[in-house]
Amino acid sequence: MNETIKLQLAHKTVRKFKEEKIQEEDINTLLEVCNRTATSTGMQQYSIIRIKDKSKKEKLTEIATQGYLENCPELFVFIVDVFRNKKIAEELGFKGDTYKDMDRFFQGFTDASLAAQNMTIALESMGMGAVYFGSILNDNEEVCNILKLPELTFPVFAVGFGYPDQEPQIKPRMDMKLKVFEDEYKVFENYLEEVKEYDEEMTHYYDTRANGQRSDTFSKQVLKRFEDINEKRRNVMKVIEKQGFKIK
Amino acid sequence: MNETIKLQLAHKTVRKFKEEKIQEEDINTLLEVCNRTATSTGMQQYSIIRIKDKSKKEKLTEIATQGYLENCPELFVFIVDVFRNKKIAEELGFKGDTYKDMDRFFQGFTDASLAAQNMTIALESMGMGAVYFGSILNDNEEVCNILKLPELTFPVFAVGFGYPDQEPQIKPRMDMKLKVFEDEYKVFENYLEEVKEYDEEMTHYYDTRANGQRSDTFSKQVLKRFEDINEKRRNVMKVIEKQGFKIK
């Protein structure tokens, strides 16, 4: 097994970092890795907002309700960005409005996600660790305000990173046989039966976050997630529309 | 510079593959890498359809209008999958319908994208090459039919891979200074001016696909993309709605 795959199979989320700053040279390498990532039809419809301002970090922490966000030495917000290409097209005389299509939004969403994951592998290969914050979408409209996002842009998630000050356990995952199918989707008879072993495994998993507390089964976590309603998150399409995309 | 980053900075899309089959053992390693990727709130809301059936591959090739799709030794379609967790929740007695929220769709979309990019790095580290096919979304509804995708699932893209039978040039990218901002979004005065050098560079880039033909400037490619209207792609939200998500 090669070093890259060893690294990937050892991935875990890091939520506690040393105060050690990341060298600008390393940041530049990470940005180069982002830039080299595959991008839909070459259009590069994503951008990154690097958060340095303390008060902005505080605001994002409040939104995410995850206190450790504030202590990430680096915090990059990845965004869908169709704005830049719209400007380019308009400067070339384009008069249409196809840049509003949700199809382009999804291209940008994909671009941002691929670049972020590529960056995560790169920084892990340099001895750093990372945490994804989907939780900044708890108030996606406010994130647009805080980052002064223009029309045709939208936050995807943030990635916090730095040198780890903890060694989390590897978190168990559901067997791939429930997630990989041949030629067509496979529906199982009884899902609780299928995830039984995984549920069991999860109860024995001690997340370092929880000070050794036992975890719920995966199934119960799923249930909790569906019961947990955040009106701002579930109404995400309204904000996407407000940002100038045509959702119908 | 470590091996992983060297690999990442050398990334290029491969569109022509040797006939050599990928060992099942290697496929399993790649699936393990997918499984270890970060996933939104641990929910693992994505799945993979591995296409082996020749007629399905042909149909997907027709949709993508990229003939080389058919010759990819392996073809994985990554999908948003909230269906599995809905079933789990219902078997536990859940009566709500929050699984329809677009927020969950986006979580699944992120999960699928991160896993795919992680897989791409892994297979490149093993000497293989890959190509992303966003083009299967040219007829996203038909892809749902072909793969028999149940409610609450949706195709994100396909990844074709195998051992490269070509050595493509590295494709130039727009400078990161146009894509990375500090603390808030930065709007430039004149975008054509900003991308001028990049435009120049692109005209000198000979893509191996094009038999040494000169490329358009990036700006002109952007314009063409916005002028190129595909009704099925732009109406993607209708199909997402048809798949059971609540888009408003």
Side-chain angles (χ1 to χ4, degrees):
Chain A
M1 195 175 291
N2 69 52
E3 290 306 312
T4 299
I5 289 176
K6 264 187 216 164
L7 184 80
Q8 292 178 302
L9 293 179
H11 165 77
K12 44 219 163 197
T13 297
V14 171
R15 294 179 180 84
K16 196 167 174 246
F17 301 96
K18 291 179 182 157
E19 278 182 32
E20 194 177 343
K21 263 193 71 179
I22 320 299
Q23 299 298 312
E24 276 311 302
E25 195 193 328
D26 290 340
I27 297 287
N28 288 336
T29 302
L30 294 177
L31 293 177
E32 277 314 304
V33 166
C34 288
N35 212 7
R36 193 96 302 285
T37 314
T39 155
S40 310
T41 68
M43 289 294 104
Q44 306 165 62
Q45 292 178 139
Y46 73 102
S47 288
I48 297 170
I49 318 279
R50 183 181 179 188
I51 309 297
K52 291 193 150 190
D53 181 80
K54 214 173 168 309
S55 78
K56 285 194 199 262
K57 235 179 182 177
E58 275 167 19
K59 282 180 196 164
L60 293 173
T61 306
E62 253 172 62
I63 290 170
T65 65
Q66 290 171 303
Y68 49 91
L69 186 149
E70 214 171 332
N71 300 319
C72 294
E74 288 288 343
L75 187 71
F76 284 12
V77 182
F78 284 78
I79 64 169
V80 172
D81 189 353
V82 184
F83 175 81
R84 182 172 48 242
N85 286 354
K86 180 211 173 190
K87 291 297 246 183
I88 289 172
E90 284 185 344
E91 288 180 20
L92 285 172
F94 181 67
K95 300 284 182 215
D97 71 348
T98 47
Y99 44 73
K100 290 172 181 269
D101 293 350
M102 277 304 287
D103 181 36
R104 319 221 179 239
F105 175 93
F106 285 118
Q107 289 182 353
F109 201 97
T110 305
D111 285 357
S113 302
L114 299 188
Q117 179 57 25
N118 221 13
M119 183 183 86
T120 295
I121 294 299
L123 66 87
E124 286 178 346
S125 81
M126 293 160 95
M128 293 182 249
V131 49
Y132 283 90
F133 291 103
S135 51
I136 62 162
L137 300 176
N138 286 345
D139 191 346
N140 39 63
E141 190 168 9
E142 187 55 20
V143 172
C144 293
N145 295 334
I146 294 169
L147 307 181
K148 298 199 177 146
L149 298 190
E151 55 161 348
L152 305 173
T153 62
F154 193 76
V156 174
F157 47 59
V159 181
F161 61 97
Y163 290 98
D165 196 23
Q166 62 175 181
E167 279 221 43
Q169 265 188 287
I170 287 194
K171 193 170 180 177
R173 295 272 198 253
M174 187 193 298
D175 199 294
M176 280 308 272
K177 77 170 198 285
L178 289 171
K179 299 186 221 162
V180 184
F181 315 117
E182 207 172 296
D183 291 321
E184 58 185 49
Y185 197 90
K186 181 180 169 187
V187 178
F188 293 85
E189 276 296 306
N190 185 319
Y191 281 84
L192 286 181
E193 192 57 44
E194 297 291 340
V195 298
K196 203 173 161 185
E197 256 181 61
Y198 177 50
D199 270 345
E200 180 67 17
E201 208 184 339
M202 282 296 280
T203 62
H204 289 290
Y205 160 67
Y206 297 82
D207 195 336
T208 50
R209 281 178 295 176
N211 302 315
Q213 207 183 309
R214 257 169 198 270
S215 299
D216 260 343
T217 62
F218 174 74
S219 308
K220 281 194 187 145
Q221 285 178 18
V222 169
L223 191 61
K224 272 189 193 165
R225 288 284 166 193
F226 284 146
E227 281 167 349
D228 178 29
I229 297 176
N230 173 329
E231 288 302 330
K232 282 177 178 168
R233 273 192 90 132
R234 74 188 309 199
N235 289 319
V236 55
M237 294 313 295
K238 281 187 190 155
V239 184
I240 291 172
E241 196 171 28
K242 206 180 153 197
Q243 287 298 100
F245 291 98
K246 217 168 86 190
I247 73 168
K248 268 232 175 175
Chain B
M1 196 174 291
N2 69 52
E3 291 305 312
T4 300
I5 289 175
K6 265 188 215 163
L7 182 81
Q8 291 178 301
L9 293 179
H11 166 78
K12 43 219 165 199
T13 297
V14 172
R15 295 179 179 83
K16 195 166 175 247
F17 300 96
K18 293 180 182 155
E19 279 182 34
E20 192 177 344
K21 262 193 73 176
I22 320 300
Q23 300 297 313
E24 276 309 303
E25 194 193 328
D26 289 340
I27 295 286
N28 288 336
T29 301
L30 294 177
L31 293 177
E32 277 314 304
V33 166
C34 288
N35 212 8
R36 194 96 303 283
T37 314
T39 156
S40 311
T41 66
M43 289 295 104
Q44 308 166 61
Q45 291 177 138
Y46 73 101
S47 288
I48 297 170
I49 318 279
R50 183 182 180 187
I51 309 297
K52 291 193 150 189
D53 181 80
K54 215 173 167 311
S55 78
K56 285 194 198 263
K57 237 180 180 175
E58 275 166 20
K59 283 180 195 163
L60 292 174
T61 305
E62 253 173 62
I63 290 171
T65 65
Q66 289 171 304
Y68 49 91
L69 186 148
E70 214 171 333
N71 300 320
C72 294
E74 287 289 342
L75 187 72
F76 284 12
V77 182
F78 284 78
I79 64 169
V80 172
D81 188 353
V82 184
F83 175 80
R84 181 171 49 240
N85 286 355
K86 179 210 175 191
K87 291 297 246 184
I88 289 172
E90 283 185 344
E91 289 180 20
L92 284 173
F94 181 66
K95 300 284 183 212
D97 70 348
T98 47
Y99 45 72
K100 289 173 181 270
D101 293 350
M102 277 303 288
D103 181 36
R104 322 227 174 233
F105 176 93
F106 285 117
Q107 291 181 353
F109 201 97
T110 305
D111 286 357
S113 302
L114 300 188
Q117 179 58 25
N118 221 15
M119 184 183 85
T120 295
I121 295 299
L123 65 87
E124 286 178 346
S125 80
M126 293 160 96
M128 293 181 248
V131 48
Y132 282 91
F133 292 103
S135 52
I136 61 162
L137 300 176
N138 286 345
D139 192 346
N140 38 63
E141 190 168 10
E142 186 55 20
V143 172
C144 293
N145 295 335
I146 294 169
L147 307 182
K148 298 201 175 140
L149 298 190
E151 55 162 347
L152 305 173
T153 63
F154 192 76
V156 175
F157 47 60
V159 181
F161 61 97
Y163 290 97
D165 196 24
Q166 63 175 182
E167 279 221 42
Q169 264 187 289
I170 286 194
K171 193 171 181 177
R173 295 271 198 254
M174 187 191 300
D175 199 292
M176 279 309 270
K177 77 170 197 284
L178 289 170
K179 299 185 221 162
V180 184
F181 315 117
E182 206 170 297
D183 291 322
E184 59 185 48
Y185 196 91
K186 181 181 169 186
V187 178
F188 294 86
E189 276 296 307
N190 184 319
Y191 281 86
L192 285 181
E193 192 56 44
E194 297 291 340
V195 298
K196 204 173 160 184
E197 256 181 60
Y198 177 51
D199 270 346
E200 181 67 16
E201 207 184 339
M202 281 297 281
T203 63
H204 290 290
Y205 160 67
Y206 298 82
D207 194 338
T208 50
R209 280 178 298 174
N211 303 317
Q213 205 184 313
R214 255 169 199 272
S215 299
D216 261 342
T217 61
F218 174 74
S219 308
K220 280 194 187 145
Q221 285 177 19
V222 168
L223 192 61
K224 272 190 192 165
R225 288 284 165 192
F226 284 145
E227 281 167 348
D228 178 29
I229 297 176
N230 174 329
E231 287 302 332
K232 281 178 180 167
R233 272 192 91 134
R234 73 188 311 202
N235 288 319
V236 56
M237 295 311 297
K238 281 187 189 153
V239 184
I240 291 173
E241 196 171 28
K242 205 179 154 200
Q243 287 298 101
F245 290 97
K246 216 168 87 190
I247 73 168
K248 268 233 176 174

